Every structure is written in C-alpha cells, then in structure tokens.
Amino acid sequence: LEQRRHYIQHNYTLYSLTSDKFPSIPCTFTAWCNSHLRKAGTQIENIEEDFRNGLKLMLLLEVISGERLPRPDKGKMRFHKIANVNKALDFICSKGVKLVSIGAEEIVDGNVKMTLGMIWTIILRFAIQDISVEETSAKEGLLLWCQRKTAPYRNVNVQNFHISWKDGLALCALIHRHRPDLIDYSKLRKDDPIGNLNTAFEVAEKFLDIPKMLDAEDIVNTPKPDEKAIMTYVSCFYHAFAGAEQAETAANRICKVLAVNQENEKLMEEYEKLASELLEWIRRTIPWLENRVAEQTMQAMQQKLEDFRDYRRVHKPPKVQEKCQLEINFNTLQTKLRLSNRPAFMPSEGKMVSDIANAWKGLEQVEKGYEEWLLTEIHRLERLEHLAEKFRQKCSLHESWTSGKEELLVQKDYESASLMEVRALMRKHEAFESDLAAHQDRVEQIAAIAQELNELDFHDSGTINSRCQGICDQWDNLGTLTQKRRDSLERVEKLWETIDQLFLEFAKRAAPFNNWMDGAMEDLQDMFIVHSIEEIQSLITAHDQFKATLPEADKERMATLGIHNEILKIAQTYGIKLVAENPYTVLSIQHINNKWESVKQLVPMRQFAAQSNIIGPWIQTKMEEISHVSIDIAGSLEEQMSSLKQCEQNIVNYKSNIDKLEGDHQLSQEGLIFDNKHTNYTMEHIRVGWEQLLTTIARTINEVENQILTRDAKGISQEQLNEFRASFNHFDRRNGMMDPDDFRACLISMGYDLGEVEFARIMTLVDPNNTSVVTFQAFIDFMTRETAETDTAEQVIASFKILASDKTYITVDELRRELPPEQAEYCISRMTKYIGNDAPPGALDYISFSSALYGESDL
C-alpha cells in the first residue's frame, strides 16, 4: 500500500511537471541545473536531451553534493548511456531518496515526465531538504524563513509558494532585507508586478549569481504559479543569503578570539614592563642600602637617617603598591588566559612573581640591616656628642666660676683694711675655700669626661685635651693662691676682733645652697641617655626623689632669707647704714630667689607612648575578618566584594593611626629608647603586619573579582560556586589548601568516579608545579573547566575555512573583506605564508595560526 501511495503521488508529480498549465517548469529546472553546472565549466540547452547519456547528470550530482561518483562509461552505445544514468540514480538512492517509476531507460529515451521528475527529486534532496528553521525542514522550513525575512515589509504576506509571489514584492523584500544597497524598496509599487519581478530577476542574476529561472509574464498571467518552480528559485536565495550570514558569524567569532588574544598580549607587555621597572628600582636601591661608611658628625649621620626615613615614607610605599598591583595583574592575566582556553603566561627569565618576591625579600633584609647600622652609629655619636656637650657645659660653668678668682686671691687689700674689714676678708676667704672645695667634684668630672672622650676616639679630642689641661693647671694655681692668701690673713687675724656674725652665717648658708642649686640646674638640664623602660622608670624614681627634697631645700632658702631679714632688722633697729654688700659673699637674696624659681621651672618630662598594644591586635582582627569573608558561602560574590570593599575603606581610614605610631616611634628613637617590655610589638612587626594586611585585602578582592569573571564567562551560577566553596571548605584542613588525599575525597563526594590514571591527569591540571597542594583558585578553575564550554582551535579553524570558501588557505583580500581593519591587519602580520602549489602568491596559512592561538607560540 505504501509503495502504491508513492506510485500514485509520483505519477501526479510527473503529470504536474509536464502539464501545459506550467510551461515555466522546464525552463526553471534548466536554469537551476545550469547554475550548478557552470561551476564545472559547462551547461545544458535542452533538459530532455542533454541528460540522456548520463554524463552531465553525473557531473551535476558531483557539483551539488561535493562527492565523487564512479567513473562514467565513455562509450556512446545505448547500454553505456543506461549504465551512466543508473550510476546517477544509484547515487540519488544512496542519499535516502526513493525513486518510484523512474528508470534509466526512460531518461535515456528522453521521457520528459521522467526527466523532470528526476530533476525535481534532486532539487528536493539537495536544495530544499537540508533547509532547517526552528526544527522544521524542507518546504515548511523554507516558507518559515521567507515569512521571517519579509515580515517587516509592507504589502508582503508570504503564505505559500504560488500566489504570494505573483506581485514580485516578496522577492524584492528578500533581496532588500539582506542587500538594501541593491533595491530601493520604497519606490516599488504593488500594481507593477511584472516590473517588480523583472527587477528582482535582474538584480539576483547580476549581483547574487542567481540565474533567471522564471518568466515574469508567466507568473503574472497564471492564476496559480507553479509551486515547484517558485520553491526552486526561492531556495537559491536561501542558500545565497545563508552563506553570507554564516560568513558573518564566522568573522565575528574570529574577531572575538583575536580581540581576546590582543588584550592578553597587552597585559603581558604591561606585566613585563612593570616587572622590569620594579626589579631595576630594587637593583639601584640595594647598593645604596649596603653603603655602611660612617660619618664623623652627628649632623651628617642624622641626614643619613632622614634620607632613610624619606625613602621609607616617600619612595618605598609606591613600590609596595606596584608590587601588589603586579601580582594582581599576573593573577588576572592567568585567569583570563584560562577562561579563553589559552596556555598560561610564562614571564621572561628572572621576571616571575617568585623572582620579584625574592628580590623584594633581599631588599627588605638589606633595609633592616641598614636601619640597625644607622641607629647603632647614631647611638655612638649621640654618646660622644652628649659627653662633649656635657664637658663643654661643665667647663663653661667652671671657667665662669674661676673667672677673676686668681686676681682676687693675689690682692693685698687686707694690708690697708681696718680690723673689721680684715675679719671680713678672713671670713670671705673661708667662704671662698668652702666654695672651692665644692667645685673639686666638677673638676674631677671634667677630667673623667675628657679621658672617656679620648678612649672613644672623639674626632675633636685635641680641643678637649687642651681645654682640660688649662682647667687643671688653673685649678692647681687656685689651690696654691688660696693657701697663700689664708696664710696672709691668719697672720693678721689677731689684729681683727670684730666680725659681723650675721654676714658670715649668711655667706656660709648661701654659698652651699647656691652651689646645690647650680648642681640641680645642671642635672635638670642634662641630656639623659636611656635605652629601656627600666631606665626610664629609674629616671622617674630619681626625679620623684629629687622633688621630695624640694621642701627641705625651701626651708634652707627660708633660713637664709631669715638671716638676711635679721641683718636688715638689726641695721634698722640700731640705725646701721649698709653702704656695701655682704663682705663675705657676692650672693644676694634676690639672686637666690631668682635661681630658686629657675630650679622649680626646670623639670623635664619624657614619656613614651606604646600605641602598638592597640594597633597590633586591630591588624590581626582585620586579617581574620578578611579570611572569614573569603570563605563565607552565605552570600553572593557581589556581597563578598561589598564586604571586602568596606573592609578596605576601613583599613585606608586607619592609616592615620599608623602614621601617628610612626611619629611616636621616631620620637622614641630620637630619645634613644630601643626596648619596651610593656608590649610584644615592635615597629617592624607593625610595618610588616600593615603591609601584609594591605596585600591580603588587595589579593582577596582580586580573587573574588576573578571568581566573578569566571562565573560570568563560564555561565556558572551562584549556587554552583557556593556548592564548590562548601565542598572545598569541608575538606580544607590547611587554611585555604587541600592535599591530594583530601582533594580526591572532595571529588568523590561530588560524584566523580576516579581511577589512579584519571586522578593523576586531574592533578597535573590543578597542581602543574607538583607542590602537593590544591588551592581554591585551582579548584574553581578545574570545576568551571568541567562544567563550561570554551572556544577551541578546531572551532576557529572551521570559522576561517568558511571565510576562505572551504580552501585550506586564505588570501589577504579575503581577510580585509571579511574582518574589521584592526583584526585583519593583526592576522596578516602574524599568519605564515601558505606552503602548497594550489595557492596563489601571498596566500596565508590560517590553520597553523589558529593552532598557535591555543598552544605554545611566540604570539
């Protein structure tokens, strides 16, 4: 029954093909055949005669199928022709086509019905059957394609393949939709069907290489044009325009691939440039830090320290940022290469991230040694300068005190003095001897300091020694002169009977008290050298003890003031006129009071604030917060990014506390305080922690950005990323890393059936450097690679093949015609010359170029 149905349908088809109602069918079929045969350099004139020997029929099938048919028989006998036609019919049947009632004898005999039926069968199989639009095929697919392409055009409503095409507007709309430059659709009129049809036929034949297969007057004058003729002609438009769309798609794919490659190359160049500049800066800086030539003066060493601080504050921080940015750029580049299925970026020799990290580590080691050397040298010079200044102060005080003393001791004023004056001179001399004894300690201190300066190799020891020798010689002379004057006064002491006890007592009290005040002022103005909190506490204790003695000293001052008041009272009571100063001392009560006020004002306070006990734990807390955000799976990546950005802003706002701590640290160093038992944090700890905090927050933000980039590029959902994170966290026992056994267990828990060979292959992907650990980024890259699809070299080769019209090479003109100018010139500059005899001069090899995009190359 099925064969009978096909037989009846086929006979009806044969009848309709030769019906007088459709005289255009043979012409249409003839034009269709010639549109293909001319590719082989031939054509037919009479469709019922030119296929009788089977040769052109076999040639037609080879052209439209792209396959080789068996060798035809060359003879001209009837059985040769039947054999050739049978070879053609067998080929048609091999393509799944059932030929009913069509035999080779009928074709050889020139049976028009059978010949046209066979051609229609070929058209259906090779021109219409492969048309597919939204899972429809053949006639329905072609009709749907026409409807979609002509939908926006006025006066066009394609519902079939006969009367919908009579006015010619549908054909013009198809051409205008794809090539608006060929037809001005706005000038077409529905009441001019013949003009519209001829316009479409002429434009299609001239510009689209579609031969004229129909006659405009036959279509217009026929109530219902032949459906098969219309379908045959319209299918040519489908194939012509579908190829152009395919070429456009291929060009877009190539542009996308080339754009990715160009961007990656730019990132590689930027990395190389930034790495070179940073390594060059490190190379220039290390010799400067290794220069340990000490200066002789404190000012010069202070300048070295200031230069070093300027390096720390101004020059180094931008380089720290550059180093961090370099690592971020490297990670981003590697992520983009993995996402685009490119090989990993391998920097030039000596410019790996590890090389830069090692160079940076060496820089910091040299920097630490330089700082320690600077502080040690400054400490030594500080000690020397302190001793020298102390020597000069004591010498100035002593020289000020001894000024005029020699002249006073050699005077012989007692020879002409009265008894009262002689006794006064004796008492004055006794006061001087007391004062002289009090100054003995200062002279000994001056000599001891000079000796220490010589032992420490002070650069100006010659001046120190000369001054010390002068003071010692003068001191010996004072002692000799003092003894001589006492002897002289004692010789005349019996001549003097009256002495003013009150002046004498005042002088005896005022001189030691004044000397005590001089010593107190000297101590209060002294430059203390401390290196630890214990020493500071010791100084504070000593200072407290000194303050405790002030009330007793004030009593002594009041007692001295009482003597002075008693003198005034006696003088006033007995009417004594005091025309001269106290003969036993040059000190006045005003001098004592003024010096007492000066002593009370000279109370230096030195403090050292240990802010590090607050800043150190804060840095640790922020590090823990960043770690918690990076492993948190409760929110989306965007929420993690928001939390990290907020955390980064808090860190930036906290920078002022670090700067203040640096200032406190500088003040402590200037005070030569190097040890603090009240905190476990040193400034170096704080600096390292701060730099690690800045690097960690920047690196964590970069990792989340790369995860977002991976998710968006690979089409991975947030739920999948959360599932990956949860699985990784469950088996993570090494703070962000898994060992191979945990990684295997993780894969098995996610449904992987792993053998030893397969697991070894996966380990080479996630751990190419054989570190025996799997990071979260490597885990994410593996899982996204398993669940997403990326461009491949084969896809790019196929796209180039379309642009090259199935040739194994491509020309410069084709590249410039199909690709945008920038991508076309990029391909031309990098494609190698095609090697083969079948190519024109200048042909390029797109296959090796496409393979190089996804393999090891110099691109």
Side-chain angles (χ1 to χ4, degrees):
L1 290 176
E2 182 66 19
Q3 290 179 351
R4 182 63 179 169
R5 185 181 65 81
H6 282 292
Y7 177 78
I8 294 173
Q9 182 180 4
H10 181 69
N11 286 337
Y12 173 76
T13 299
L14 293 179
Y15 168 76
S16 64
L17 288 172
T18 58
S19 174
D20 294 337
K21 296 186 297 179
F22 307 113
S24 61
I25 288 180
C27 296
T28 301
F29 285 6
T30 299
W32 183 85
C33 292
N34 284 334
S35 69
H36 293 287
L37 286 173
R38 66 185 176 186
K39 297 177 182 178
T42 186
Q43 64 179 11
I44 61 173
E45 300 294 338
N46 190 329
I47 195 169
E48 58 191 74
E49 293 292 334
D50 292 348
F51 285 141
R52 292 180 63 183
N53 61 4
L55 295 178
K56 290 188 177 181
L57 179 58
M58 293 179 67
L59 182 60
L60 174 65
L61 291 173
E62 286 185 347
V63 171
I64 63 178
S65 68
E67 300 180 18
R68 297 290 297 178
L69 272 68
R71 181 184 294 274
D73 294 353
K74 297 299 184 179
K76 297 184 179 180
M77 302 297 291
R78 175 180 173 80
F79 72 88
H80 291 124
K81 297 178 181 180
I82 292 174
N84 290 337
V85 174
N86 275 327
K87 291 177 182 179
L89 296 179
D90 290 341
F91 178 78
I92 296 173
C93 292
S94 70
K95 298 302 179 180
V97 179
K98 294 181 179 180
L99 296 175
V100 181
S101 299
I102 298 179
E105 291 80 0
E106 286 83 353
I107 303 301
V108 173
D109 293 339
N111 189 314
V112 176
K113 292 181 180 181
M114 295 302 177
T115 301
L116 295 178
M118 177 189 64
I119 297 302
W120 174 243
T121 301
I122 292 173
I123 292 173
L124 285 176
R125 171 60 183 84
F126 293 100
I128 299 177
Q129 180 175 322
D130 292 336
I131 297 175
S132 177
V133 180
E134 290 190 356
E135 299 183 357
T136 63
S137 61
K139 178 181 178 181
E140 291 79 6
L142 183 60
L143 182 62
L144 180 59
W145 179 79
C146 294
Q147 290 172 340
R148 287 190 171 179
K149 296 300 181 181
T150 60
Y153 291 87
R154 58 182 175 82
N155 297 326
V156 177
N157 183 17
V158 178
Q159 298 296 327
N160 48 57
F161 285 107
H162 37 80
I163 61 176
S164 295
W165 304 83
K166 290 187 64 174
D167 58 6
L169 291 177
L171 285 173
C172 292
L174 276 180
I175 296 173
H176 184 268
R177 179 64 180 270
H178 294 89
R179 292 291 302 276
D181 56 311
L182 301 180
I183 291 180
D184 187 354
Y185 189 84
S186 62
K187 295 182 179 180
L188 301 179
R189 295 183 293 107
K190 187 174 181 63
D191 58 357
D192 186 19
I194 293 179
N196 296 338
L197 288 169
N198 285 329
T199 298
F201 294 158
E202 293 172 1
V203 169
E205 185 173 25
K206 183 177 181 181
F207 297 102
L208 303 179
D209 200 24
I210 299 175
K212 182 178 180 181
M213 301 181 184
L214 303 173
D215 184 78
E217 294 183 355
D218 288 347
I219 294 175
V220 174
N221 296 328
T222 302
K224 183 180 179 182
D226 180 65
E227 186 177 54
K228 299 173 184 58
I230 298 296
M231 285 178 62
T232 301
Y233 189 60
V234 172
S235 68
C236 295
F237 285 90
Y238 173 85
H239 289 294
F241 294 136
E245 293 176 354
Q246 188 180 21
E248 181 180 357
T249 302
N252 290 336
R253 176 185 291 273
I254 291 174
C255 290
K256 177 182 176 183
V257 171
L258 295 179
V260 170
N261 215 59
Q262 289 174 304
E263 181 182 359
N264 291 340
E265 287 183 357
K266 182 179 179 182
L267 290 175
M268 293 176 191
E269 293 173 358
E270 290 177 353
Y271 174 88
E272 291 282 344
K273 180 176 179 294
L274 190 58
S276 299
E277 292 175 352
L278 183 58
L279 288 172
E280 176 61 21
W281 178 80
I282 294 175
R283 185 190 66 78
R284 294 195 312 267
T285 304
I286 287 179
W288 174 66
L289 295 173
E290 289 177 340
N291 181 16
R292 306 295 167 83
V293 178
E295 302 291 344
Q296 291 186 345
T297 64
M298 187 65 178
Q299 182 179 3
M301 288 304 296
Q302 286 286 1
Q303 183 60 46
K304 278 184 174 289
L305 180 61
E306 186 61 32
D307 293 342
F308 179 71
R309 287 170 177 163
D310 187 62
Y311 155 80
R312 273 269 181 83
R313 293 190 300 263
V314 179
H315 300 291
K316 185 180 178 184
K319 299 304 177 181
V320 173
Q321 182 64 29
E322 287 181 13
K323 175 177 174 292
C324 179
Q325 188 63 42
L326 191 69
E327 295 177 359
I328 292 174
N329 291 350
F330 182 81
N331 293 334
T332 301
L333 174 60
Q334 298 293 44
T335 299
K336 289 186 176 181
L337 289 173
R338 285 192 297 270
L339 293 178
S340 58
N341 203 23
R342 266 56 167 192
F345 169 55
M346 183 63 63
S348 302
E349 183 178 358
K351 296 179 183 177
M352 295 287 292
V353 173
S354 59
D355 297 327
I356 295 173
N358 290 334
W360 189 265
K361 182 178 179 181
L363 173 69
E364 291 186 332
Q365 290 176 346
V366 175
E367 176 184 312
K368 181 179 179 182
Y370 185 73
E371 182 180 23
E372 292 174 351
W373 172 78
L374 274 178
L375 295 178
T376 301
E377 280 299 312
I378 289 176
H379 179 201
R380 186 182 70 84
L381 290 177
E382 182 83 10
R383 174 67 178 168
L384 289 175
E385 289 291 343
H386 171 73
L387 288 174
E389 181 61 26
K390 189 173 183 179
F391 176 84
R392 286 188 286 269
Q393 287 182 358
K394 288 184 176 295
C395 289
S396 297
L397 287 172
H398 178 79
E399 290 167 351
S400 176
W401 179 81
T402 59
S403 177
K405 294 295 190 291
E406 292 174 306
E407 292 78 4
L408 180 63
L409 291 173
V410 297
Q411 286 182 359
K412 296 182 179 181
D413 49 350
Y414 53 83
E415 293 181 350
S416 58
S418 64
L419 179 61
M420 294 297 294
E421 292 173 338
V422 169
R423 290 181 175 178
L425 289 175
M426 185 62 186
R427 300 300 180 266
K428 184 177 180 180
H429 187 71
E430 290 176 354
F432 172 77
E433 288 178 327
S434 177
D435 202 8
L436 183 66
H439 281 77
Q440 177 67 35
D441 289 342
R442 181 174 292 119
V443 175
E444 294 175 356
Q445 290 174 3
I446 289 173
I449 293 173
Q451 182 179 355
E452 186 174 0
L453 286 172
N454 280 280
E455 292 174 353
L456 293 176
D457 194 22
F458 184 59
H459 68 279
D460 196 17
S461 58
T463 302
I464 297 294
N465 293 333
S466 176
R467 192 171 185 182
C468 180
Q469 188 62 46
I471 288 175
C472 291
D473 293 343
Q474 184 188 37
W475 184 255
D476 292 340
N477 188 41
L478 281 175
T480 301
L481 293 177
T482 300
Q483 186 61 40
K484 287 182 178 180
R485 183 170 177 82
R486 181 172 183 81
D487 293 342
S488 299
L489 290 173
E490 285 178 348
R491 285 195 303 268
V492 296
E493 183 179 6
K494 294 179 181 180
L495 301 175
W496 310 108
E497 297 178 350
T498 306
I499 186 170
D500 191 347
Q501 293 294 333
L502 291 176
F503 272 134
L504 179 60
E505 186 178 355
F506 179 90
K508 288 184 177 181
R509 281 183 174 272
F513 184 66
N514 181 68
N515 188 61
W516 176 87
M517 287 191 297
D518 287 340
M521 292 178 65
E522 180 181 352
D523 292 338
L524 289 172
Q525 297 180 51
D526 197 4
M527 297 175 64
F528 296 109
I529 299 178
V530 292
H531 305 92
S532 66
I533 296 299
E534 287 81 1
E535 293 180 342
I536 296 175
Q537 189 62 43
S538 177
L539 288 175
I540 294 175
T541 302
H543 186 67
D544 292 340
Q545 293 174 354
F546 166 77
K547 289 193 294 184
T549 64
L550 290 179
E552 193 66 29
D554 190 52
K555 290 181 181 180
E556 181 67 18
R557 183 183 66 86
M558 294 301 297
T560 305
L561 181 61
I563 295 173
H564 177 72
N565 292 336
E566 184 66 20
I567 293 173
L568 296 178
K569 182 178 179 181
I570 293 174
Q572 185 178 4
T573 302
Y574 297 99
I576 298 176
K577 186 176 180 181
L578 301 176
V579 291
E581 296 292 334
N582 191 323
Y584 303 110
T585 181
V586 295
L587 299 174
S588 67
I589 194 62
Q590 185 64 35
H591 181 78
I592 296 295
N593 288 335
N594 291 340
K595 189 171 290 187
W596 173 255
E597 293 298 324
S598 299
V599 169
K600 290 195 299 182
Q601 293 176 2
L602 293 175
V603 184
M605 299 296 293
R606 296 188 181 182
Q607 298 178 348
F608 180 78
Q611 295 292 331
S612 57
N613 283 332
I614 299 174
I615 294 178
W618 184 88
I619 291 176
Q620 184 63 31
T621 300
K622 288 301 175 184
M623 293 286 286
E624 294 173 358
E625 288 179 7
I626 294 170
S627 175
H628 177 72
V629 172
S630 65
I631 64 174
D632 187 16
I633 62 174
S636 64
L637 291 177
E638 284 74 14
E639 292 172 343
Q640 291 184 28
M641 178 62 70
S642 178
S643 299
L644 290 172
K645 288 293 186 180
Q646 182 63 39
C647 185
E648 183 184 39
Q649 185 60 44
N650 293 338
I651 293 172
V652 172
N653 294 338
Y654 202 75
K655 182 64 167 56
S656 59
N657 295 315
I658 302 297
D659 296 337
K660 183 177 183 300
L661 187 63
E662 283 283 6
D664 294 341
H665 176 66
Q666 180 176 342
L667 292 176
S668 298
Q669 288 187 335
E670 291 174 353
L672 301 179
I673 299 175
F674 306 106
D675 187 20
N676 190 343
K677 72 175 184 177
H678 298 293
T679 179
N680 293 325
Y681 297 96
T682 66
M683 196 61 225
E684 186 64 24
H685 292 155
I686 297 299
R687 290 194 194 103
V688 172
W690 181 253
E691 292 178 1
Q692 288 178 349
L693 181 60
L694 294 177
T695 302
T696 299
I697 186 64
R699 184 176 298 151
T700 304
I701 290 175
N702 177 248
E703 289 177 358
V704 175
E705 289 174 343
N706 287 340
Q707 291 179 31
I708 293 174
L709 184 62
T710 301
R711 180 196 65 190
D712 296 340
K714 299 293 186 177
I716 303 301
S717 66
Q718 184 65 47
E719 290 74 18
Q720 287 177 298
L721 284 176
N722 289 343
E723 180 183 356
F724 296 160
R725 168 59 78 181
S727 299
F728 186 91
N729 290 343
H730 180 75
F731 292 92
D732 174 18
R733 295 184 295 179
R734 298 182 62 178
N735 192 20
M737 295 180 289
M738 290 190 293
D739 57 32
D741 292 337
D742 291 337
F743 179 56
R744 179 195 289 270
C746 181
L747 292 180
I748 293 174
S749 71
M750 298 181 72
Y752 282 80
D753 185 13
L754 297 175
E756 291 297 328
V757 176
E758 176 62 11
F759 183 70
R761 182 190 69 81
I762 294 176
M763 283 300 297
T764 61
L765 296 176
V766 298
D767 184 24
N769 296 325
N770 294 323
T771 59
S772 297
V773 294
V774 179
T775 64
F776 179 68
Q777 187 61 42
F779 177 78
I780 286 294
D781 291 340
F782 170 74
M783 296 307 299
T784 53
R785 189 184 300 114
E786 290 293 305
T787 56
E789 180 183 0
T790 59
D791 293 327
T792 64
E794 289 75 16
Q795 291 175 328
V796 177
I797 291 174
S799 298
F800 272 115
K801 188 175 183 181
I802 292 173
L803 298 187
S805 302
D806 291 336
K807 299 189 296 293
T808 57
Y809 59 87
I810 192 166
T811 65
V812 173
D813 292 338
E814 289 173 335
L815 286 172
R816 288 175 173 161
R817 182 177 67 245
E818 300 295 345
L819 299 180
E822 182 179 356
Q823 279 73 21
E825 296 304 323
Y826 180 85
C827 291
I828 293 170
S829 65
R830 282 168 168 73
M831 282 187 182
T832 59
K833 183 179 179 181
Y834 178 79
I835 300 175
N837 298 326
D838 58 338
L844 302 176
D845 184 358
Y846 64 81
I847 296 177
S848 62
F849 172 80
S850 301
S851 300
L853 290 176
Y854 294 86
E856 297 294 335
S857 74
D858 294 329
L859 288 178

